[in-house]
Amino acid sequence: MGTPLGGAQRAQFFPDAKRLFSCPFFPSVKTFDDLGLVAPLLRGVKAQGYTHPTPIQEQAIPPLLAERDLLGCAQTGTGKTAAFALPILQHLHEDPTEGRRYIRCLVLTPTRELAAQIEEAFINYGRYVDVRHKVIFGGVNQNPQVAALRAGFDVLVATPGRLLDLEGQGHVDLSGVEFFVLDEADRMLDMGFIHDIRRVLKLLPEDRQNLLFSATMPDSIVTLAGGFLTNPLKVEVTPQSSTVEAVEQQVMFVSRGDKRHLLADILEGPTVTRSIVFTRTKHGANRLTQQLNKRGIEAAAIHGNKSQNARSRALDGFRAGSINVLVATDIAARGIDVDDVSHVFNFDIPHEPEVYVHRIGRTGRAGRAGIAITLCEGGDQGDDLRQIERLIGTEVPVVTDHQYHDESCIPPPGGSGGGGSRRGGGG
Ligand code: AMP
């Protein structure tokens, strides 16, 4: 499961969805003031520097304010978090709890990274309203979480395992939930959370507003959604294909050990003025940054383990031109909004083909030519390359005139995987 739907399939499962183009590529003409949001939330949004809603925000916020259920086919990077967080914050702000707070909104998400990001969104957008939230995930001491649950708050962002664990211990009461968000549903199912989801659903009261977001809409998600959404608004956000066309794409086949040398050689060339290099893992981003720095290349890493200060410093340097190369993981890169990126490098090929489209959309903005260079070491990454080519409907041109070209890294045409399984992302 997990492959993006083809046109016919999509029409079958998602017949009346509004198809939208995703955030960075297709800004809305509406402003946030047009969406019915109250002043303190508008202030929060403006404090984030957002001027226009993304398509999913424009489409989803008004119906969500009117208490509709929502089925959103959208991946991260589209602005979906604000699309659900803002209306929920507004409902909670307009109808505050009297007395002790209790969990009125549950956001269920597969990974701790995503949970932490969603919490951050609630903090940022909800800065000027009196709504309290808490994030709960496994792998850390449960005591502070239990203490917070005792004290009471309005919005709980949680991963399923720890949530059910604490619920089993009698620390979590979900009987007052009015808003339920199931985020990254396809990834949840891939990670084997279906039984946990069903258990959580049983703990919720009948009468509530439901939102489900998924990057893909395979049968299993459609069935799951049918089980608990009522007459949902369906919104589908797809990257605009012309973005792909505006970018000159290249792939270079190179062994894993030579990738960093090849990258450094290209970065030192005259045409690369400002570039973003994508790695799969935070550790990989750190290591590569150090290696580039050793070669005298001004590079900085940006990922979820960096403090907000370190991220801001790196971004400011990148904007100002003192840092020419940002080495980023996908999740961290979503916050990067810089024009004039001459090159995007896929140092590692993303597992999810849609992520490739998002990555290369970082260059070639505003009608300028951009170049996206993918370094392919074969193996798994070769399969991922073929999946990308299936998604974008064309083969990425191969460049062989470099000293590290390695024929053995070229995957068979069409790839050996074929199934399109989605493995968990690095973050
Ligand atoms: P999401 O898809 O919710 O994870 O958001 C992706 C990224 O887009 C995050 O870094 C957000 O801060 C950013 N973002 C969300 N909405 C907007 C907006 N209306 N304008 C500019 N950036 C946004």
Side-chain angles (χ1 to χ4, degrees), residues 300-375:
I302 171 165
H303 56 65
N305 278 2
K306 295 269 171 188
S307 67
Q308 195 53 46
N309 270 347
R311 287 201 215 187
S312 304
R313 228 178 305 124
L315 268 178
D316 290 347
F318 191 58
R319 281 199 192 92
S322 58
I323 291 168
N324 312 108
V325 182
L326 274 188
V327 184
T329 56
D330 289 296
I331 288 177
R334 289 175 318 148
I336 305 174
D337 188 15
V338 181
D339 285 335
D340 283 334
V341 172
S342 66
H343 289 66
V344 162
F345 292 92
N346 292 303
F347 188 78
D348 298 315
I349 301 181
H351 290 314
E352 288 141 337
E354 299 90 338
V355 172
Y356 174 86
V357 177
H358 278 274
R359 285 184 180 182
I360 73 168
R362 300 277 167 187
T363 183
R365 293 230 194 145
R368 293 189 191 88
I371 298 180
I373 300 179
T374 297
L375 305 186

Side-chain angles (χ1 to χ4, degrees), residues 23 32 50 52-54 57 75-82 125 334-335:
C23 152
F32 279 99
Y50 304 167
H52 293 80
T54 66
Q57 291 162 4
Q75 57 184 353
T76 50
T78 55
K80 71 182 162 82
T81 317
Y125 308 138
R334 289 175 318 148

Side-chain angles (χ1 to χ4, degrees), residues 366-386:
R368 293 189 191 88
I371 298 180
I373 300 179
T374 297
L375 305 186
C376 182
E377 61 182 54
D380 258 14
Q381 300 210 10
D383 291 344
D384 290 333
L385 172 70
R386 295 301 183 220

